[in-house]
Amino acid sequence: MLRSNSLARTLIITFAALAAMVLFFLWLRAIATVDPFARLRTPSQIASIVVIRLEDVDLRHYSGSKLRTEAHVGRVDVRQDRQYLDLYGVTDGVFYSDQGSFKFAADTANWSAATRRVEVTSGAHVFGKDFDLTVSKFYMDGGAATLHVPGPLVGRLYDGNVKAQNLTYKLSTGAYSVGPAEWEGNLAIATQDGDTNPKRTKWKIKTDGIVTHEGDIDKWPDGEATDGEVLVKADMVERNSKTDVITATGKVRYFSAKTNMTCEKAVIYRKEKRAVFTENVHLYFKPEDQQNQPLMVVEIPPFRPQVPDDVAKGRPPAPPVTDEDKQLDNDLRSGDLKKYPVLALSSKVEYWYGKASRHGIITGSPQARQELPGGRWRHIWTQKGLYDGEKETLRMVSTDGKQDTRALTSWGDDLVCDWFEISTKDGDDKWTGSHIHGNVSSDDEDIPKPDKSKDKPTVKPPPKDGKGGKSL
């Protein structure tokens, strides 16, 4: 009896010890799985904990039965909240939509279950029929079939190379907005109908604003465009990629090797090699020593209109002419006046700048003024100006039946004519005109004296048609 009681106690003690050990191990396991800092963690930290990791994955996303995104991913991390997939080493990616598709690759990206879209977060390359770009990040709005690049980008955009910020591109139409931006591309220029091998020239266009493209039209606010031969700045520069016409409006400034100008509108027809400038056109013809300088943006001096005759008559007489004044007048008359700049004003200038066909038409009551040393000047008015770039001549033509082509100088010359033509060649001062009459000033020494031994003076009146005379 005593032996059986002792055995019972031994068994009870043994079972109690075993139970205590089981409870101890359960307690240890519970302690091991408890996060003592859980209450201190934010929801975003909990969400960032990776619970599943997959490698070498082919990922596909469907909307209903339609495949929308696919890519090969080197590694996929599934976060604890199951709302995000972190993707690493993305290759062979394709976005599909009913309006179009494009391909992509990236160093890193993530998939959001909430937005149901892939966002590329670093080292991305996107390419489609209209673009081939390296970007820092991008995302696709599948509903609107729109690609968004919120940051820097570089690469091909349509028919040129672009360096820009913040691209939005619609797959449905190819329309986009981007900016600030710099674009550079070779444009095909067909100079003759049926030209099978058109010349391609490079244009650079840049802006600090937002560029938009829709259809065939690019719009560059506060834009600057150059092909190396001309440089155009304006409040708005538009380019039609189909017709290859560039239109600049609002405070237009145009710069070339020989001429700078300002106006309110400039249209450059590159296939025709023709430029049309309208509305308050101011021209600055550079002196010879400035015509080989690089293209640059400079201010054009203001045009100084001639004082009307009735006002000039009321002014006090000029001081007596000195010998020094006479010598300066003679030097200017006999010297090369092309080394001094000329300012001109008109309503419209149309210019053809193609090789072997350079010519221009200046209309809208044009006038020109040349400022010379010592306060001297020359001023001319006309009804129309005709420039021949091949012959290097400029003809000023009066209105039919009128003589409204007039030349006036500070030393007293005042002539009118039917037309007046001057050479624009370097070192060539030839001129000719039709039915010229008026006043030509001259020193007493230049006037032939009559021979007292004869009854009549030897002085002859000037011919009606002047040719080969002195420079005005």
Side-chain angles (χ1 to χ4, degrees):
M1 183 68 178
L2 292 174
R3 185 176 295 175
S4 62
N5 290 338
S6 177
L7 180 60
R9 287 196 300 272
T10 301
L11 290 173
I12 291 171
I13 293 171
T14 301
F15 282 117
L18 289 173
M21 291 179 63
V22 170
L23 291 172
F24 176 74
F25 282 114
L26 290 174
W27 177 78
L28 285 177
R29 188 175 69 176
I31 291 297
T33 58
V34 169
D35 183 357
F37 303 105
R39 293 183 179 181
L40 301 178
R41 297 184 188 276
T42 64
S44 61
Q45 289 174 319
I46 296 173
S48 65
I49 296 175
V50 175
V51 295
I52 300 175
R53 175 165 290 171
L54 306 172
E55 295 184 352
D56 199 17
V57 178
D58 287 324
L59 180 66
R60 293 182 178 87
H61 166 237
Y62 290 84
S63 176
S65 61
K66 294 184 177 180
L67 178 63
R68 293 306 187 191
T69 310
E70 66 175 332
H72 181 80
V73 185
R75 190 182 93 203
V76 178
D77 286 349
V78 182
R79 301 186 196 179
Q80 183 171 324
D81 64 357
R82 305 300 198 274
Q83 295 297 306
Y84 292 93
L85 303 179
D86 295 321
L87 314 178
Y88 300 89
V90 181
T91 59
D92 300 324
V94 185
F95 278 112
Y96 301 98
S97 74
D98 296 336
Q99 290 79 26
S101 63
F102 67 90
K103 299 179 180 181
F104 70 96
D107 293 339
T108 62
N110 64 61
W111 162 260
S112 170
T115 60
R116 301 187 66 80
R117 74 183 183 195
V118 173
E119 294 190 18
V120 173
T121 54
S122 69
H125 179 205
V126 293
F127 46 102
K129 65 183 182 68
D130 297 328
F131 57 87
D132 187 346
L133 302 170
T134 299
V135 305
S136 59
K137 55 186 177 181
F138 74 89
Y139 66 90
M140 179 68 185
D141 184 347
T146 303
L147 169 67
H148 298 272
V149 180
L153 57 106
V154 63
R156 178 183 66 84
L157 185 60
Y158 279 84
D159 51 1
N161 296 319
V162 67
K163 180 180 180 182
Q165 298 272 344
N166 308 321
L167 170 69
T168 299
Y169 173 88
K170 292 184 177 295
L171 291 177
S172 57
T173 62
Y176 68 80
S177 65
V178 64
E182 296 182 12
W183 181 93
E184 180 177 342
N186 291 312
L187 306 179
I189 308 303
T191 56
Q192 300 291 335
D193 292 338
D195 190 353
T196 58
N197 187 25
K199 180 182 177 182
R200 298 181 65 84
T201 57
K202 183 175 291 185
W203 270 86
K204 295 181 180 179
I205 309 176
K206 64 180 181 179
T207 179
D208 292 330
I210 303 299
V211 181
T212 59
H213 168 85
E214 189 168 355
D216 299 319
I217 304 298
D218 295 332
K219 293 185 178 182
W220 296 73
D222 296 321
E224 177 180 309
T226 180
D227 66 349
E229 297 178 1
V230 299
L231 186 153
V232 180
K233 288 179 66 69
D235 290 348
M236 177 64 72
V237 177
E238 294 186 11
R239 170 183 168 245
N240 188 313
S241 59
K242 184 176 181 179
T243 63
D244 199 11
V245 174
I246 292 179
T247 302
T249 54
K251 297 181 181 178
V252 180
R253 288 171 287 171
Y254 175 93
F255 306 91
S256 67
K258 292 186 176 182
T259 307
N260 296 340
M261 68 177 71
T262 62
C263 61
E264 291 302 312
K265 184 176 182 180
V267 184
I268 302 172
Y269 302 88
R270 288 191 50 78
K271 288 183 179 180
E272 305 173 34
K273 290 188 176 291
R274 178 170 65 97
V276 180
F277 308 90
T278 54
E279 301 179 38
N280 198 26
V281 183
H282 286 245
L283 299 97
Y284 176 81
F285 298 96
K286 298 180 182 179
E288 294 174 348
D289 60 355
Q290 295 181 12
Q291 294 180 7
N292 294 321
Q293 295 180 357
L295 288 176
M296 63 181 66
V297 177
V298 296
E299 291 297 324
I300 296 178
F303 188 88
R304 294 176 55 188
Q306 175 61 23
V307 177
D309 292 340
D310 55 347
V311 175
K313 290 178 181 178
R315 289 186 171 180
V321 178
T322 65
D323 291 339
E324 184 178 352
D325 293 330
K326 291 180 181 181
Q327 184 61 47
L328 181 56
D329 288 343
N330 290 333
D331 291 344
L332 289 173
R333 285 172 177 270
S334 60
D336 182 8
L337 295 179
K338 293 187 180 68
K339 63 183 179 180
Y340 303 107
V342 176
L343 287 166
L345 176 66
S346 71
S347 297
K348 181 179 179 180
V349 175
E350 189 170 10
Y351 181 61
W352 288 258
Y353 58 91
K355 187 177 180 180
S357 63
R358 294 175 301 133
H359 67 284
I361 301 175
I362 307 169
T363 54
S365 301
Q367 56 180 301
R369 184 180 181 89
Q370 185 177 36
E371 299 291 343
L372 303 169
R376 273 71 174 169
W377 50 263
R378 300 192 300 172
H379 203 118
I380 191 165
W381 299 260
T382 190
Q383 188 268 338
K384 181 189 295 185
L386 301 174
Y387 173 69
D388 189 326
E390 303 307 316
K391 295 180 180 180
E392 296 188 66
T393 60
L394 176 62
R395 174 174 290 207
M396 291 149 281
V397 182
S398 297
T399 307
D400 289 342
K402 296 182 179 180
Q403 285 194 319
D404 48 12
T405 297
R406 180 186 182 190
L408 189 67
T409 69
S410 60
W411 48 78
D413 298 335
D414 188 357
L415 300 172
V416 296
C417 60
D418 291 343
W419 57 264
F420 188 80
E421 184 175 285
I422 61 174
S423 171
T424 60
K425 293 179 181 179
D426 294 343
D428 188 354
D429 290 330
K430 291 180 181 179
W431 60 265
T432 185
S434 174
H435 293 92
I436 301 175
H437 66 88
N439 301 317
V440 177
S441 65
S442 179
D443 291 336
D444 292 340
E445 291 82 358
D446 294 335
I447 301 175
K449 302 295 184 181
D451 187 349
K452 294 183 179 180
S453 64
K454 297 182 179 181
D455 296 335
K456 295 183 179 180
T458 59
V459 179
K460 296 181 180 181
K464 291 185 177 180
D465 293 336
K467 188 173 183 181
K470 296 180 179 179
S471 298
L472 295 178

